[in-house]
Amino acid sequence: MSDGNIVMGVTITKPDKALWPDGGDGLPVTKLDLAHYYEAVGPWMMTHLKGRPCSILRAPDGIAGEHFYQRHAMKGTSNSFTLVRAISEHEPYMQIDRVEALAAVAQIAGVELHPWNCQPGHPDVPGRLVFDLDPAPELDFSAVVEAAHEVRERLEALGLISFCKTTGGKGLHVVTPLAAASGEATWHEAKVFARDLCTQMAEDHPERYLITMTKKDRAGKIYLDYLRNDAISSAVAPLSPRAREGAPVSMPLSWSQVRIGLEPMRFTIRTAPALVAKSTAWREYCDSERPLKRAIERLRRGSGA
């Protein structure tokens, strides 16, 4: 085995195994390529992974083959992962607490990372809200851009600071970091808050938005998915690759980038490391945590509840 196949102390077996047939440049993305990608962006990702149970989408035969989620340790699981017991589960969940564990993710062909949205080390406490803006297939992406800004404005009016990222698909995520204060909101309160905010948007603009997945009502609208804001729900991590054609990633953006002309598919395993290295996007994420209880009270007052 060549030393060139060792990444962050982990030996990558079958390093030439193609996981994506094309990384957007006409060349396949191999297991070794994935390991080097995680090595390049791993330090940035750790803020959003450490201390949170993480589901890993694995594609041992590449993205064209069978996929499955791994949430718990299996026989032979690398000791690079932290194993934690959370909620009422009997089996421990896998957690990525150090950057070297990302090489182990690549070794098992882990092509997507979906951490919980809890406070690090406290799975029973909400750590962030994620609003998933999912457009109908025929809708122009500019409508999703407008929707993201509307979510941002509504959150700001309630005292919350938000950040935006591509999903690696056709939508956008608006993410709000929450303060870890004593007596803060429960998961139930967080989910109700997210639902109520999305409901207000849909009621104010029924021609643009909906909060149910009913197919007959989807045409020309954006589905405001608030369901990721629950105790064991997860969302794709910033900079996580996606198991999709072209090897796209979920790219953290500055709000100035969220504008007409944004092309999510330009953010790939090939392009993202250099782009994020010179980007200031999400730099103030940890300093932007705000109490959710206060926002809940403001939303209730505003709605007359």
Side-chain angles (χ1 to χ4, degrees):
M1 184 70 67
S2 167
D3 287 347
N5 299 334
I6 300 175
V7 180
M8 294 188 284
V10 174
T11 300
I12 306 300
T13 60
K14 298 183 180 178
D16 297 327
K17 174 72 177 179
L19 298 180
W20 286 265
D22 185 348
D25 56 1
L27 298 174
V29 178
T30 66
K31 276 180 68 176
L32 187 61
D33 290 335
L34 179 60
H36 284 306
Y37 172 77
Y38 283 138
E39 181 180 34
V41 303
W44 195 103
M45 295 183 75
M46 291 313 298
T47 295
H48 306 281
L49 295 173
K50 188 175 181 179
R52 297 178 171 99
C54 187
S55 297
I56 301 172
L57 181 66
R58 296 178 56 183
D61 296 318
I63 66 166
E66 182 180 356
H67 304 171
F68 66 94
Y69 279 99
Q70 181 176 350
R71 299 174 175 85
H72 307 287
M74 298 178 177
K75 184 177 180 181
T77 294
S78 170
N79 59 12
S80 296
F81 297 105
T82 304
L83 301 183
V84 296
R85 295 192 181 276
I87 313 297
S88 59
E89 287 280 340
H90 296 294
E91 290 186 78
Y93 285 91
M94 298 173 70
Q95 197 163 280
I96 299 169
D97 286 341
R98 54 196 183 106
V99 71
E100 293 81 7
L102 289 169
V105 171
Q107 166 57 17
I108 61 173
V111 295
E112 293 187 6
L113 302 175
H114 294 255
W116 290 11
N117 295 314
C118 58
Q119 290 288 349
H122 299 281
D124 55 336
V125 180
R128 57 191 172 214
L129 301 177
V130 178
F131 298 88
D132 182 3
L133 310 181
D134 182 13
E138 72 278 5
L139 204 60
D140 190 86
F141 191 70
S142 62
V144 188
V145 167
E146 293 175 3
H149 281 283
E150 182 170 349
V151 174
R152 180 196 187 193
E153 290 165 5
R154 288 175 181 259
L155 290 170
E156 282 187 347
L158 299 171
L160 297 174
I161 300 174
S162 59
F163 297 81
C164 191
K165 64 184 181 75
T166 65
T167 63
K170 59 186 179 180
L172 290 172
H173 281 172
V174 178
V175 182
T176 303
L178 302 177
S182 177
E184 254 305 296
T186 64
W187 274 115
H188 174 72
E189 290 171 318
K191 186 175 181 180
V192 169
F193 172 84
R195 181 201 67 196
D196 289 349
L197 186 141
C198 291
T199 298
Q200 285 188 5
M201 282 184 64
E203 289 177 346
D204 290 346
H205 303 288
E207 76 286 0
R208 298 184 200 170
Y209 310 125
L210 76 167
I211 60 168
T212 60
M213 279 290 284
T214 309
K215 286 189 176 181
K216 66 181 179 64
D217 298 327
R218 283 295 309 274
K221 297 182 183 180
I222 295 172
Y223 170 49
L224 305 176
D225 183 358
Y226 61 86
L227 297 175
R228 300 179 187 280
N229 303 298
D230 210 343
I232 60 172
S233 296
S234 62
V236 68
L239 291 174
S240 170
R242 302 307 305 267
R244 295 171 180 168
E245 184 178 345
V249 305
S250 179
M251 187 70 182
L253 305 170
S254 64
W255 278 108
S256 63
Q257 291 176 287
V258 186
R259 61 181 187 270
I260 305 303
L262 174 65
E263 297 179 6
M265 287 304 296
R266 67 182 285 255
F267 306 116
T268 70
I269 284 178
R270 304 284 197 222
T271 64
L275 291 171
V276 80
K278 60 184 181 182
S279 172
T280 60
W282 292 46
R283 184 169 290 178
E284 298 178 354
Y285 182 92
C286 292
D287 295 328
S288 300
E289 297 172 345
R290 297 291 184 270
L292 182 57
K293 279 275 194 180
R294 193 176 304 160
I296 290 172
E297 292 168 3
R298 289 173 176 171
L299 183 63
R300 285 174 179 166
R301 289 199 301 267
S303 63

